Amino acid sequence: MMQTPYDRAQVAQLLAGADAAVNLFAYLREGLARDADCGLLTALVYDFDDMTSCRVFSEDRAAYPVGNFKALVPGPYFERVVKPRQHWASVDLAGVAELFFDWEKIRDLGYESSLNIPAVVNDTLIGTVNLLAVRGTYQPAKVEAALRWQPIINLCFLLLNQPAGRAASFHADVTDLPKGKVETLRSV
């Protein structure tokens, strides 16, 4: 059995605390920097109803600002990462240029390797964590190390969608809970 790189007790503590999404994502960033030699990390969320993406995190806000809704259009990134919901790794500038229209910006920032890891929940891509590093970084061992963080990646993106929880149910046949009065717990 493959050992997880994260501490389950620490993850549980982060999930239970305030600002769980932000704190768990910070924990993920530390782990990816340590285990996968990440030089620059960004994160995107996707809305397939509107066919848009939005950057929700960037370690370099000058180069890659947060916000910035973009249309999802067919192209190399869409065809290799978004549509198949699969990770993609490259180890050199040619691989980066194959996937990204802004490969020159990436090169100018000092990076020539990339790794894109989708967060897939209920067979739907809800986000991606995108890593850049120096040339040669994302060889199979580093990709495997990064992919061990997949459950935490998925949790981070799920936490961003917490407002929908007011209508959620663990019963498959209940899709929208009634909006009745709020009851308080009483001691018996």
Side-chain angles (χ1 to χ4, degrees):
M1 184 171 157
M2 188 184 330
Q3 188 175 14
T4 61
Y6 47 87
D7 180 293
R8 291 178 184 176
Q10 188 170 2
V11 169
Q13 184 178 17
L14 292 169
L15 288 171
D19 297 320
V22 171
N23 293 329
L24 187 62
F25 196 79
Y27 181 70
L28 170 68
R29 287 175 51 219
E30 290 170 11
L32 289 173
R34 179 190 66 234
D35 298 346
D37 294 333
C38 178
L40 176 80
L41 187 141
T42 63
L44 299 169
V45 294
Y46 298 87
D47 182 339
F48 289 101
D49 291 334
D50 292 336
M51 286 302 287
T52 58
S53 66
C54 178
R55 191 171 295 109
V56 293
F57 181 83
S58 175
E59 287 182 327
D60 185 341
R61 289 178 154 181
Y64 294 103
V66 294
N68 197 22
F69 283 89
K70 291 193 275 186
L72 282 175
V73 294
Y77 183 81
F78 185 86
E79 295 299 324
R80 296 243 172 88
V81 178
V82 175
K83 187 176 174 183
R85 301 176 314 266
Q86 296 291 319
H87 73 275
W88 171 265
S90 62
V91 295
D92 58 22
L93 197 56
V96 170
E98 185 179 333
L99 204 62
F100 299 104
F101 69 91
D102 63 344
W103 65 270
E104 292 166 320
K105 177 197 279 190
I106 293 169
R107 178 201 59 207
D108 293 347
L109 291 169
Y111 303 112
E112 294 187 32
S113 281
S114 67
L115 175 58
N116 307 92
I117 306 172
V120 179
V121 177
N122 288 331
D123 202 32
T124 301
L125 181 132
I126 59 173
T128 55
V129 171
N130 310 297
L131 293 75
L132 296 173
V134 298
R135 179 182 181 88
T137 298
Y138 294 118
Q139 301 290 339
K142 288 294 179 189
V143 172
E144 182 181 321
L147 292 177
R148 287 188 189 123
W149 286 91
Q150 187 72 62
I152 305 304
I153 292 170
N154 289 359
L155 276 171
C156 286
F157 285 99
L158 283 170
L159 289 169
L160 288 179
N161 198 19
Q162 283 301 297
R166 293 187 63 91
S169 173
F170 283 113
H171 295 277
D173 60 342
V174 176
T175 58
D176 191 20
L177 295 177
K179 312 267 189 298
K181 65 178 183 162
V182 176
E183 295 183 12
T184 57
L185 294 174
R186 299 178 272 257
S187 16
V188 182

